[in-house]
Amino acid sequence: MISSGTPNLRRRIASALVWSLVALAGAVALGRVALGRGEHISAAWLLVAALCTYAVAYRFYSAFIASRVFALDDARRTPSERLSDGRDYVPTNRWIVFGHHFAAIAGPGPLVGPTLAAQFGYLPGILWIIVGVVVGGAVQDFVILCASIRRDGKSLGQMAKEEIGPVAGFTALVAVLGIMVVLIAVLALVVVNALKSSPWGTVTIALTIPIAMLMGVYMRWIRPGRVLEASAIGLVLLGLALLAGRWVAERPDIAATFTLSGRTLALLLMVYGFAASVVPVWLLLAPRDYLSAFVKIGVVAALAMGILVVLPPLQMPPLTRFIDGTGPVFAGALFPFAFITIACGAVSGFHALIASGTTPKLIERESDARVVGYGAMLVESFVAVMALIAACALTPGVYFAINAPIAALGSTTQSAAAAIANWGFVVTPAELDALARQVGESSLLSRTGGAPSLAVGMAHLFSRALGGTGATALWYHFAIMFEALFILTTLDAGTRVGRFMLQDLGKHVWLPFGRTAWMPAVVLSSALIVLMWGHFLWQGVNDPLGGVNSLWPLFGISNQLLAAVALCVATTIIMRMGKARYAPITLVPLAWLVTVTMSAGFEKLFSPLPKLGFFAHARMLLDAQSGGRLPPGVTSQSTLLQMVGNDYLDAAVAAFFLLAVIVILADSARVWWGLLRGGMPVRSTEVPFAPRASLAGD
Amino acid sequence: MTQFSRFVVIMRRAGALARRVIGAPDYEAYLSHIRVHHPHTVPLTRGEFARDALARRYERPGSRCC
């Protein structure tokens, strides 16, 4: 049959040719990105480098893992069919699962991290995002998803307990709670920094709360279950809220009421978080979630369009002098802090919770796991690339004016311009004033946390893509609104989830505390969880270094710790399947993450530099106190003692995270040793093979 | 008219897709499941189902991320 062999051969040659070209284009673009010196390179190079690498990795590496490690089999029954209940376990089309999974994993993380890491220049960020995702993040999500599918949709915590042991399981459980607390605190801080002294932003965000409640009432009482109608109404109202914010900002007498300090905003957020955790979900959480999912997908698409149309040149140099650790945005040198700062987008442990949560219960065919697990993470990584582009398209002067703390810049545009000139970048006070006016704010100085600088970047892109700078202020506040919207969605849902976790842990101490429908227990546990993240938020708001400086690294460390847990579980599962020769697939990213997390944590604890090390900072404060003077930015003796206390607390949290890494790694190593040396039987813990019932009808 | 009814069908499908992507409770899927697998039980009403689905969605980490 020569005639059937020839087209087949021709197709194979064509395929080899196309993939060689894609690989070549990616390699050329990466080379251009890495070696370009002197002039401003176009964002197009970053996009090509990222997209080609993703395509090659998806086509070859994810296929390799799918066939060699798991031998994914469409004839095999998945939990969505075996346990089908029409509620949690529902066989679902792969593209719907993909959308659902992406909407669940993509939050503010991939937007904020790359923006902060831009202080090193664009090169470290782009390389880590691209390489990290294809060998780390996407692998983690994919492997955990497959493992959970083969185990009836078990959660990461359950798998850690059953595959490794009770010690690892319990450590993972407590670590997840710790991560939630730090995550919510740092995200709340980002919102506070975006809204302080901004009546426009504050009014717009405040209005999203009654809008969500209105949608909730609509879906519950007026037209029960009409989610899309309610969302459409909500989206229109969001647009009106944006205009209402501008209306308020233009009237000084009313605007004064909504011009709030960081402290006031922090207290309001705590009240909001508490309320969201106590009131019924249909009233606030669910409608907010739907709205935020639409806005999220819409804005990610719009950002991609904006970048593709404008293809902005990158103003930031590939590497800045701050790779030595003297940067103003956050303390610490390129290694290890670039890899801690950018977690989501490269590798994010949190995703392992989603990949072992709702998603595995929806997967219809095993092969769908590849596009959902590996594919969705590639898209999230692309979001991180776009955030990096938006930050690096700003001139470095503007970028540092927005992202450096007040302690480094002073409080006027003159002092800021002088400080920035000292770092070797040029921006005039007049430019900074004009930019603030253009986006409708009184000042953009020291709005740390990443959201405002991303919003400025997006506003520039959108107004250039659509022509005319008149709408820049509207675009800026639109970007702030969307970031705050989905940060608050993480904050309120996270507080509620944290409350349930706390009740679950607490019932071992006092049984009634675990009763989720008993009001006193609900109020007490909600208050406790809000106090926990509220404490870190309060500390961040009052920190003269801007708070993000100490909180974001803690968040990064905790997120990478969770990734280490996930990769330990993944490695153990691969070895139990008798495929230890493929263990390096998860062992290599694990080794890197442990190296990065341990060294970053160690530096945060023991660095002699007060800007970096928690203990050194406490010592600096105490020395100043015994010398009878107050360090800059500290107002009284009691604040000083409070700050010392916070340093010790931060140190304790960091130490706990490091200890958790060691415990889980040691416990896993014990199991690996047993499996490799024959002390433990190599036996797969998967649910045995059963054929799909619907296969006949396929 | 056929043009229009085709449009309605497409819009309905797009709506169902959007609802499932954002994770809204899918009552129709639940109903058809009950009809096929437990034909003798009385299914929850639309309201009861929605309430139950929402309550469960926010109990565990695994539906939300950073």
Side-chain angles (χ1 to χ4, degrees), chain B residues 23-44:
Chain B
D26 192 346
Y27 186 60
E28 277 66 35
Y30 164 74
L31 265 192
S32 64
H33 169 83
I34 293 289
R35 246 181 254 129
V36 173
H37 296 276
H38 316 280
H40 301 297
T41 51
V42 180
L44 300 176

Side-chain angles (χ1 to χ4, degrees), chain A residues 214-307:
Chain A
L214 193 74
M215 284 173 64
V217 168
Y218 186 91
M219 287 186 286
R220 175 100 171 180
W221 304 115
I222 304 178
R223 301 260 292 160
R226 304 292 170 171
V227 173
L228 293 180
E229 280 172 29
S231 304
I233 295 172
L235 288 172
V236 171
L237 290 176
L238 276 188
L240 291 179
L242 200 58
L243 298 176
R246 180 168 68 180
W247 186 85
V248 167
E250 281 165 357
R251 276 155 194 78
D253 47 331
I254 318 175
T257 321
F258 295 98
T259 308
L260 304 177
S261 69
R263 291 177 191 206
T264 315
L265 283 164
L267 290 175
L268 289 174
L269 277 182
M270 289 181 223
V271 172
Y272 169 74
F274 177 78
S277 165
V278 174
V279 302
V281 255
W282 60 265
L283 183 61
L284 192 58
L285 243 58
R288 234 192 141 78
D289 227 2
Y290 300 148
L291 211 53
S292 145
F294 280 118
V295 173
K296 189 185 299 182
I297 293 170
V299 170
V300 164
L303 184 58
M305 291 297 292
I307 286 181

Side-chain angles (χ1 to χ4, degrees), chain A residues 31-76:
Chain A
R32 185 76 181 78
V33 168
L35 305 172
R37 288 285 178 277
E39 82 275 44
H40 299 308
I41 73 161
S42 161
W45 292 106
L46 271 62
L47 295 177
V48 173
L51 291 174
C52 292
T53 313
Y54 297 161
V56 171
Y58 181 78
R59 168 66 184 77
F60 296 101
Y61 194 39
S62 78
F64 175 81
I65 297 173
S67 65
R68 296 298 174 83
V69 180
F70 283 98
L72 294 184
D73 182 358
D74 279 351
R76 189 176 181 137

Side-chain angles (χ1 to χ4, degrees), chain A residues 431-465:
Chain A
E431 278 176 79
L432 290 175
D433 286 328
L435 182 67
R437 235 184 352 261
Q438 206 185 17
V439 300
E441 290 288 302
S442 55
S443 163
L444 282 174
L445 287 188
S446 299
R447 292 198 170 256
T448 56
S453 78
L454 178 65
V456 170
M458 283 172 69
H460 276 171
L461 280 172
F462 289 161
S463 50
R464 274 182 62 189

Side-chain angles (χ1 to χ4, degrees), chain A residues 582-600:
Chain A
Y582 294 124
I585 289 173
T586 47
L587 270 178
V588 169
L590 175 63
W592 174 247
L593 283 181
V594 169
T595 312
V596 163
T597 314
M598 295 305 278
S599 43

